[in-house]
Amino acid sequence: AVEQVIERATAKDAAERYPEAQALATAFRSALSPAAVEVPIPDAEARNPYKGLRPFREADAGDYFGREELVERLVGRMTEEAQGSRLLAVVGPSGCGKSSLVWGGLVPALRAGAVPGSDRWFVAEMFPGEEPFAELEAALLQVAPANPPSSVMADIERDAEGLMRAAACVLPDESSELLLVIDQLEELFTLVEDDGRRARFLANLSAAAIDPRSRVRLIVTLRADFYDRPLLYRGFGALLHDRTEVVVPLTPPELQRAILRPAERVGATVAPALVAQLIADVGDQPGALPLLQFALTELFDRREDSGLTPLTTEAYRGMGGVSGGLARRAEEIFDSLSEEEKDAARQLFLRLVVFGEGTEDTLRRILRAELLSLQTDPSGMHAALDAFGRARLLSFDRDTETRGPTVEVAHAALLREWSRLREWIDTDREDLRTERWLAASARDWNEAGRDSSYLISGSRLQQLEAWKEKTNLAVAPEEREFLEASIAQRDRRQAGEAARRARERTLERRSLRRLRALVAVLTVAALISGGLTVFASSQRGRAERQERIAVARELASAAVANLDEDPERSILLALQAVD
């Protein structure tokens, strides 16, 4: 078994294929001889002691140099008997080596007992991600016994003492303690959308840091441009103010050790002129440590004779120096891809970025399955992942909750140095903001059981339809289904509205026809009534004339009859008859 581990650890691509073998080989050498740590394994090709864009891990502690004084200061901060001394925040700009400082320097020192009793601490790590409580549960289960309690998540989310309670459940006895390392705390502000959840998480950290009953110790790393964000949360903000250690750039002597000592451990040499050139190039650049490590990694890989040919300034200048080496390598890989693979690479990197609001853009981890589900050629995506992964420009891990493979950019330095990637981001920034909004809406819709009330409508839907037609971004299946469901709901509503209006028009036409018929009937009735009225009036006039003639006749007859008896009366009757 030992021979198999040594064989894997000394393979040409050992760092990529067998990282666990590297760690075991280091442990074997340490166990066999204290002096052996400084002696390379005799093999045909020395391993590369530099880490590229990857942060140093515990297994890389033997190659970690330059931060000895800062590691000692951090250890001193962790031994302080002060309020909140169970929390230590490591703050610095992107690229200053915060993660490497913690995992390559501080944690190995604690494992060795630098703080009284720290050699017996249980160590767990986490990134906040989009679901910090789920990530915290997964971190605690790293140290849980074989049959962990099922109530860990319930304990965590119950109240501010949840972390302390859950830690007590997973730790083996009352004398044991947990060291929880929360790397990239800024993810709590870039990836978590619910402020209430963010506040509850920070309240858990605060309680664990100050409660005298706590068996949890915390180390958090935070990017300097996000330092003000947690200060807004009462309790945790005060702790952060008092318990922060700032990471400053390496001094020239520290840089010299970081360059020379790893090479010496594997029997390689670095030309003195190259050391001076590297220090001159890196010294004035903030956040340049990843670029330095990447340049040294590339130079080491390009040596002609393993362990014999020194790293030289000629090779360094040929690869473009510290600032140009990373961009040049990324561009070389991109140029080697086919057109379909280049489009997949563009979709890949754009998915791995989170846009800053008043801060620099940051990185995000996503599931490999999500990338392969995009509306792009899967074989092209596989090729792009493999090509950039082999060059250590991408990092691969597993999601703590689903255990699915994840992908992320190895370091934010790539966002700054690779001009093609910056151009993609600047060109598609608004498209990407729209896509992220669509992705968040689709996620809420799915989490709500695809409740139709979560679908979008109106002008927002019209904007997304127009965006979908013109954007060059690939859309994930969940986003596509959400948009299609919103459109289908809109179409159904429009169809229902059209049917309602059609029914209303039909009823209106029927009412109009009925009204017209009624008007016609009333018109005829009016005409008939008018005719009858005229006829009745004519008949009444004739009857009145006949009546008057009859009366005149009667008066005339009476006048004639009385003429002899009463002539005056006869004359009056005759005049009345004439009227």
Side-chain angles (χ1 to χ4, degrees), residues 278-301:
L278 286 168
I279 293 175
D281 290 348
V282 170
D284 295 332
Q285 290 195 41
L289 288 182
L291 303 181
L292 173 64
Q293 282 288 319
F294 185 84
L296 289 167
T297 303
E298 290 288 297
L299 286 170
F300 198 96
D301 284 343

Side-chain angles (χ1 to χ4, degrees), residues 412-574:
L414 191 64
L415 274 64
R416 299 190 300 268
E417 301 300 325
W418 190 16
S419 59
R420 184 183 295 275
L421 178 54
R422 290 203 312 274
E423 182 181 349
W424 287 341
I425 293 172
D426 292 340
T427 300
D428 295 322
R429 188 173 293 269
E430 290 306 316
D431 270 7
L432 284 165
R433 291 187 192 279
T434 301
E435 186 276 327
R436 297 293 154 78
W437 185 90
L438 176 61
S441 300
R443 184 170 57 252
D444 292 342
W445 175 60
N446 277 300
E447 291 176 353
R450 300 201 166 189
D451 187 337
S452 61
S453 65
Y454 282 77
L455 298 175
I456 52 177
S457 60
S459 60
R460 186 58 173 168
L461 179 56
Q462 292 177 352
Q463 293 171 1
L464 283 175
E465 280 188 287
W467 169 83
K468 180 64 172 60
E469 293 299 322
K470 68 179 183 179
T471 185
N472 293 320
L473 292 177
V475 178
E478 293 80 5
E479 299 164 11
R480 186 169 59 252
E481 291 172 4
F482 173 73
L483 185 56
E484 289 174 351
S486 297
I487 293 173
Q489 178 175 263
R490 189 269 316 275
D491 291 345
R492 287 193 300 271
R493 288 177 176 175
Q494 289 182 344
E497 182 66 18
R500 184 187 64 80
R501 288 197 298 268
R503 289 194 300 270
E504 289 179 352
R505 286 195 297 269
T506 300
L507 291 174
E508 289 175 357
R509 286 194 296 268
R510 289 177 180 174
S511 299
L512 184 58
R513 286 198 298 270
R514 290 172 180 172
L515 181 59
R516 287 173 178 171
L518 179 59
V519 169
V521 169
L522 293 176
T523 300
V524 171
L527 291 173
I528 294 174
S529 175
L532 291 175
T533 300
V534 171
F535 177 75
S537 298
S538 175
Q539 290 296 103
R540 187 169 59 252
R542 184 177 297 111
E544 289 176 351
R545 285 195 300 273
Q546 293 295 328
E547 184 179 357
R548 284 197 299 273
I549 291 172
V551 171
R553 286 177 179 173
E554 290 179 0
L555 291 173
S557 298
V560 171
N562 295 315
L563 183 60
D564 293 334
E565 294 179 5
D566 190 354
E568 292 181 1
R569 184 180 181 188
S570 295
I571 292 171
L572 290 173
L573 290 173

Side-chain angles (χ1 to χ4, degrees), residues 144-220:
N147 297 313
S150 59
S151 61
V152 173
M153 178 61 82
D155 282 335
I156 294 173
E157 291 193 296
R158 191 184 309 168
D159 52 40
E161 297 182 357
L163 171 55
M164 291 192 301
R165 206 165 34 242
C169 289
V170 300
L171 290 172
D173 55 64
E174 293 185 359
S175 63
S176 56
E177 293 197 23
L178 171 69
L179 173 64
L180 177 63
V181 180
I182 305 178
D183 207 354
Q184 299 181 23
L185 187 66
E186 62 269 11
E187 289 187 354
L188 201 62
F189 305 93
T190 60
L191 300 180
V192 179
E193 298 177 358
D194 185 351
D195 187 63
R197 184 183 305 168
R198 183 185 304 119
R200 291 195 302 273
F201 185 81
L202 292 175
N204 268 267
L205 302 188
S206 299
I210 63 177
D211 195 307
R213 300 168 299 167
S214 177
R215 295 159 59 190
V216 180
R217 294 178 182 267
L218 299 165
I219 298 175
V220 302

Side-chain angles (χ1 to χ4, degrees), residues 69-82:
E69 292 184 7
L70 182 54
V71 169
E72 186 176 349
R73 188 159 68 250
L74 294 177
V75 169
R77 294 295 301 272
M78 296 196 70
T79 60
E80 294 174 352
E81 295 295 334

